[in-house]
Amino acid sequence: MNPAPAPLPDWVRPLPAVLQAPVAEALHRVIDPELGEAIDDLGLIGALHYGDNELRVRLLATSASCPMSDVLLEDALDALTAALRRHKPADMPPLLLNVDIDWDTTWTPERMAPALRERMGW
């Protein structure tokens, strides 16, 4: 018997149903190079916008001087590009992908997945 799939995070709800799981899985595979944890578990996905043939993902930085922000942006964009190449229906218009960092929103440990927060002692 296969275990039940994990529930999808709320931030993927703006996407068409067919893209929700692939996008969530793609971003879960993006690892913060400093902390060695998935960006979704760290609570670094600030927002997702889908519309007007664009998918925009706004990430949060764990600090105002995040030295690895370029790596996070590139890894997230690569993961999304690969996921959409495999899972976007042929009849769906091409999507412009945009991943950026919201430097104005402060990240706090409360954004982390509870299990990760506990494991890291927060």
Side-chain angles (χ1 to χ4, degrees):
M1 182 190 234
N2 291 335
L8 292 173
D10 287 339
W11 51 261
V12 297
R13 300 291 175 226
L15 290 170
V18 69
L19 296 180
Q20 289 179 1
V23 166
E25 290 165 12
L27 291 174
H28 182 71
R29 287 192 300 269
V30 177
I31 304 299
D32 180 292
E34 291 183 299
L35 298 174
E37 300 290 343
I39 63 172
D40 62 333
D41 288 341
L42 286 166
L44 299 184
I45 300 169
L48 181 142
H49 170 77
Y50 172 80
D52 300 324
N53 297 328
E54 179 184 31
L55 172 57
R56 176 183 295 267
V57 177
R58 299 212 74 189
L59 302 178
L60 304 179
T62 55
S63 71
S65 62
C66 180
M68 302 304 283
S69 60
D70 289 342
V71 173
L72 284 177
L73 292 172
E74 184 177 328
D75 289 353
L77 185 59
D78 289 348
L80 289 168
T81 299
L84 291 176
R85 189 177 306 125
R86 286 191 308 273
H87 298 284
K88 186 176 77 54
D91 62 345
M92 184 180 282
L95 285 174
L96 172 66
L97 292 176
N98 189 333
V99 181
D100 60 10
I101 293 189
D102 176 356
W103 294 104
D104 296 325
T105 300
T106 302
W107 175 88
T108 64
E110 288 76 30
R111 295 186 59 89
M112 295 168 69
L116 179 59
R117 193 170 50 243
E118 182 177 327
R119 192 174 87 230
M120 295 182 91
W122 293 68

